[in-house]
Coordinates of all heavy atoms in Angstrom, one line a residue:
E77 N 7.6 51.8 -11.3 CA 6.8 50.7 -11.4 C 5.2 51.1 -11.2 O 4.4 50.6 -11.8 CB 7.1 49.6 -10.5 CG 8.4 48.9 -10.7 CD 9.0 48.1 -9.6 OE1 8.3 48.0 -8.6 OE2 10.0 47.3 -9.7
T78 N 5.0 52.1 -10.4 CA 3.6 52.6 -10.3 C 3.2 53.7 -11.1 O 2.1 54.2 -11.1 CB 3.4 53.0 -8.7 OG1 4.4 54.1 -8.5 CG2 3.7 51.9 -7.7
G79 N 4.1 54.2 -12.0 CA 3.8 55.1 -13.1 C 3.9 56.6 -12.5 O 3.3 57.5 -13.2
H80 N 4.6 56.7 -11.5 CA 4.8 58.1 -10.9 C 6.1 58.7 -11.3 O 6.3 59.9 -11.1 CB 4.6 58.0 -9.5 CG 3.2 57.8 -9.0 ND1 2.9 56.4 -8.8 CD2 2.3 58.4 -8.6 CE1 1.6 56.4 -8.4 NE2 1.1 57.6 -8.3
L81 N 6.8 58.0 -12.0 CA 8.3 58.5 -12.4 C 8.7 57.9 -13.8 O 8.4 56.7 -14.0 CB 9.3 58.1 -11.4 CG 10.6 58.9 -11.3 CD1 10.3 60.4 -11.0 CD2 11.6 58.4 -10.3
A82 N 9.1 58.8 -14.7 CA 9.8 58.3 -15.8 C 11.3 58.6 -15.9 O 11.6 59.8 -15.4 CB 8.9 58.9 -17.1
S83 N 12.1 57.7 -16.4 CA 13.4 58.0 -16.4 C 13.9 57.7 -17.9 O 13.5 56.8 -18.5 CB 14.2 57.1 -15.5 OG 13.7 57.3 -14.1
R84 N 15.0 58.5 -18.3 CA 15.7 58.2 -19.5 C 17.1 58.4 -19.4 O 17.6 59.4 -18.6 CB 15.2 59.1 -20.6 CG 15.6 58.8 -22.1 CD 15.0 59.5 -23.1 NE 15.2 61.0 -23.0 CZ 14.1 61.8 -22.7 NH1 13.1 61.4 -22.5 NH2 14.4 63.1 -22.7
R85 N 18.0 57.4 -19.7 CA 19.4 57.5 -19.4 C 19.9 58.8 -20.0 O 19.8 59.2 -21.1 CB 20.2 56.3 -20.1 CG 21.7 56.2 -19.7 CD 22.1 55.0 -20.4 NE 21.7 53.8 -19.9 CZ 22.0 53.0 -18.8 NH1 22.9 53.7 -18.1 NH2 21.3 52.0 -18.4
G86 N 20.8 59.5 -19.3 CA 21.4 60.8 -19.6 C 20.4 62.0 -19.5 O 20.9 63.1 -19.6
A87 N 19.1 61.7 -19.1 CA 18.2 62.9 -19.2 C 17.6 63.0 -17.7 O 17.0 64.0 -17.5 CB 17.0 62.6 -20.2
G88 N 17.7 61.9 -17.0 CA 17.2 62.1 -15.5 C 15.8 61.5 -15.4 O 15.4 60.8 -16.3
S89 N 15.3 61.8 -14.3 CA 13.8 61.3 -14.0 C 12.9 62.4 -13.7 O 13.3 63.3 -13.0 CB 14.0 60.2 -12.7 OG 14.9 59.2 -12.9
W90 N 11.7 62.3 -14.1 CA 10.7 63.3 -13.9 C 9.4 62.8 -13.5 O 9.1 61.6 -13.9 CB 10.6 64.2 -15.1 CG 10.2 63.6 -16.4 CD1 8.9 63.4 -16.9 CD2 11.2 62.9 -17.3 NE1 9.1 62.8 -18.2 CE2 10.4 62.4 -18.4 CE3 12.5 62.8 -17.4 CZ2 10.8 61.6 -19.4 CZ3 13.1 62.0 -18.5 CH2 12.2 61.5 -19.5
T91 N 8.7 63.6 -12.8 CA 7.4 63.1 -12.2 C 6.3 63.1 -13.3 O 6.2 63.9 -14.3 CB 6.9 64.0 -11.2 OG1 6.9 65.4 -11.6 CG2 7.9 64.1 -10.0
M92 N 5.4 62.1 -12.9 CA 4.1 61.9 -13.9 C 3.2 61.2 -13.0 O 3.2 60.9 -11.8 CB 4.5 61.0 -15.1 CG 5.1 59.6 -14.7 SD 5.8 58.8 -16.2 CE 4.1 58.4 -16.9
L93 N 2.1 60.8 -13.6 CA 0.9 60.0 -13.0 C 0.6 58.8 -13.8 O 0.9 58.9 -15.2 CB -0.3 60.8 -12.7 CG -0.1 61.9 -11.6 CD1 -1.4 62.7 -11.5 CD2 0.3 61.2 -10.2
P94 N 0.0 57.7 -13.2 CA -0.2 56.5 -14.0 C -1.1 56.7 -15.2 O -1.9 57.8 -15.2 CB -0.9 55.6 -13.0 CG -0.3 56.2 -11.6 CD -0.2 57.6 -11.8
G95 N -1.1 55.9 -16.2 CA -1.8 56.0 -17.4 C -3.3 55.9 -17.2 O -4.1 56.2 -18.1
T96 N -3.6 55.5 -16.2 CA -5.2 55.2 -15.9 C -5.8 56.4 -15.4 O -7.0 56.5 -14.9 CB -5.5 54.1 -14.9 OG1 -4.6 54.5 -13.7 CG2 -5.0 52.7 -15.4

Side-chain angles (χ1 to χ4, degrees):
E77 289 172 354
T78 57
H80 293 84
L81 198 66
S83 302
R84 188 168 63 247
R85 185 178 297 275
S89 301
W90 57 95
T91 55
M92 57 183 292
L93 286 177
T96 56

